[in-house]
Amino acid sequence: MNIPYENEIVRDAFGQWISGLFGAVCGWNPNVRFTEQKELFFSLLENLLDDGRAMLIAPGADCYISTDNPNPKLTIEDPDVHWKAPVAEIMRFVRDGWPSGANDMNDLELTYYFYELPGLIWVTEDGKLVAS
């Protein structure tokens, strides 16, 4: 799928949560229907995962800092944190969780959806890992 403004979207979303990637897709494609924005998002995420420019944190990985977990056991640098499933499996998980009732980018259901997804790790051109 051709993704309009792909380079600009990636530049603007780099280092952000996965919701930032979706927001950049929508921001750069404001005149595209919401259902098409969703498909552009899925396609771009799949491309990023396929190309090794991004990865998701493995479900259940203890790397998130919170008030309940101020000292997680792992960081994004630890290979055990990286979700190593095939990209098709990861994308099935991402697609299957999409809220069927969401009909615009500001839908409250999307907020919950993005917070429930594993964290996004960005990979720089020189291989450094970045996450927010």
Side-chain angles (χ1 to χ4, degrees):
M1 170 183 263
N2 179 37
I3 301 167
Y5 306 106
E6 179 174 355
N7 293 332
E8 292 85 353
I9 293 166
V10 171
R11 179 199 65 214
D12 289 355
F14 187 86
Q16 295 185 30
W17 288 29
I18 199 165
S19 57
L21 179 61
F22 181 68
V25 166
C26 296
W28 277 98
N29 295 280
N31 298 320
V32 173
R33 290 188 340 241
F34 179 71
T35 55
E36 292 174 60
Q37 291 172 332
K38 175 181 80 168
E39 290 306 318
L40 289 171
F41 164 72
F42 288 144
S43 293
L44 180 53
L45 179 59
E46 185 169 4
N47 290 349
L48 291 169
L49 296 173
D50 275 335
D51 296 345
R53 295 184 288 164
M55 62 184 83
L56 292 179
I57 293 173
D62 181 13
C63 66
Y64 295 101
I65 297 172
S66 69
T67 54
D68 293 336
N69 189 21
N71 299 304
K73 294 177 186 164
L74 305 170
T75 71
I76 61 169
E77 303 294 332
D78 293 297
D80 290 340
V81 167
H82 309 157
W83 196 357
K84 295 175 185 70
V87 171
E89 180 181 326
I90 294 170
M91 289 308 302
R92 207 169 21 259
F93 177 87
V94 171
R95 283 181 173 277
D96 288 351
W98 186 271
S100 60
N103 50 22
D104 71 53
M105 73 174 285
N106 297 313
D107 197 302
L108 186 58
E109 289 182 52
L110 278 180
T111 302
Y112 296 125
Y113 164 75
F114 286 123
Y115 279 115
E116 291 172 357
L117 285 179
L120 183 63
I121 301 171
W122 294 86
V123 183
T124 64
E125 289 183 13
D126 61 351
K128 290 185 179 143
L129 304 180
V130 178
S132 59

